[in-house]
Amino acid sequence: MEQQQAFLDSLSTLLDKINWLDHAVLAEQLADFKPAEVHTIAFIGGHQDANVTAIANGLYVTRGAVSKMTRRLITRDLISRYQNPDNQKEVYFRLTSKGEAVRATHARLHQQFNQRDAPVFEQADPEQLQQTLAFLNAYNQFLDQQISRDKTIES
Amino acid sequence: MEQQQAFLDSLSTLLDKINWLDHAVLAEQLADFKPAEVHTIAFIGGHQDANVTAIANGLYVTRGAVSKMTRRLITRDLISRYQNPDNQKEVYFRLTSKGEAVRATHARLHQQFNQRDAPVFEQADPEQLQQTLAFLNAYNQFLDQQISRDKTIES
DNA sequence: CACGTTTTGTTTCCTTGTCAACAAAAAAGA
DNA sequence: TCTTTTTTGTTGACAAGGAAACAAAACGTG
């Protein structure tokens, strides 16, 4: 049990630190764009025909949040909105050329972040790394089960 | 490099899912309290003589955020504020009995969350678990170095 | 001690997100 | 087909936090 708590604490602070470091660079290199804007642009750039619901699920935010964010990105000419002729309900998004430029910069910075942390992965025992990935996968699968079980109970 | 990215993705979505599941229970069992309120109460309950700066560092938020939150918690009679006679600058906090009750409920729910995920830890190879914790520790230490290096460069 | 520097806490404005209520479209079922 | 249910996107009120500017207290050093 203490091990379990230690794991979770380790995990949360790890991500807190990474975000802290990344954020400083992002704020400087993509100064004209808010973090959430870049985040959404990156997702749309990586997922063809993404609609509001898909983006919300992918970013783990509500549809309301996505609806507002996409509206802003459209007015800033970073994404464009389109629909399927035989579906008047769903709304899809794609990047404009301006949005694509942001996505490219973001991808470059991400590689830079990876390089920053690369030593940790190079110095680690490959076996240890493998074991870690395996455990994270197992945990993720377990949580997926829990979530789908929750959803069926709710109904 | 793909391994590194896989690791980070795995990690982020893992925490997203845990938060999702926890949040549903918290919202129901501690309906009168916002997540951030409970979070702050838990920290103060676990750290004697916590001042604004200490809480901010511990929760990875700004002092401004803590200042606002503590003000609210005081008006809701969940914490109380006190100072040291020989220091007119720092402000410390402790839980009221009402706050203590919230902390206790929160602790109980946390145990419940741990029990929910216990199977993952029980079924995992102890060696695998050990390796995972070791890797997380190594990564955390590396980031601590990076952060302190950043701070010295800034100056 | 006195003066400049640092630390601490607060406040204001802005960004981001949730929740809940809603309307319109699509899907499901009788 | 017609009706009911579900899905999808939007909006408004509000919660939460960050950044920057600020005042007051504490510290450091000549």
Side-chain angles (χ1 to χ4, degrees), chain A residues 133 136-137 140, chain B residues 5-15:
Chain A
L133 283 174
L136 288 179
N137 260 352
N140 260 312
Chain B
Q5 199 52 52
F7 170 79
L8 288 179
D9 291 346
S10 224
L11 219 100
S12 320
T13 65
L14 185 78
L15 280 187

Side-chain angles (χ1 to χ4, degrees), chain B residues 54-122:
Chain B
I55 298 171
N57 291 336
L59 300 183
Y60 283 86
V61 295
T62 59
R63 295 197 307 267
V66 174
S67 183
K68 295 168 197 165
M69 182 55 68
T70 51
R71 183 152 54 87
R72 217 169 70 197
L73 292 177
I74 288 170
T75 66
R76 298 196 57 182
D77 192 28
L78 292 161
I79 65 175
S80 67
R81 179 196 148 103
Y82 64 98
Q83 283 184 284
N84 195 321
D86 51 313
N87 188 324
Q88 297 303 119
K89 194 167 57 159
E90 298 185 348
V91 180
Y92 304 95
F93 302 95
R94 66 164 69 92
L95 301 186
T96 62
S97 55
K98 256 175 86 180
E100 181 57 38
V102 172
R103 194 205 56 74
T105 302
H106 175 257
R108 183 170 54 74
L109 292 177
H110 238 278
Q111 278 206 301
Q112 182 180 316
F113 298 152
N114 280 347
Q115 278 171 20
R116 178 196 66 207
D117 296 351
V120 181
F121 291 81
E122 287 160 7

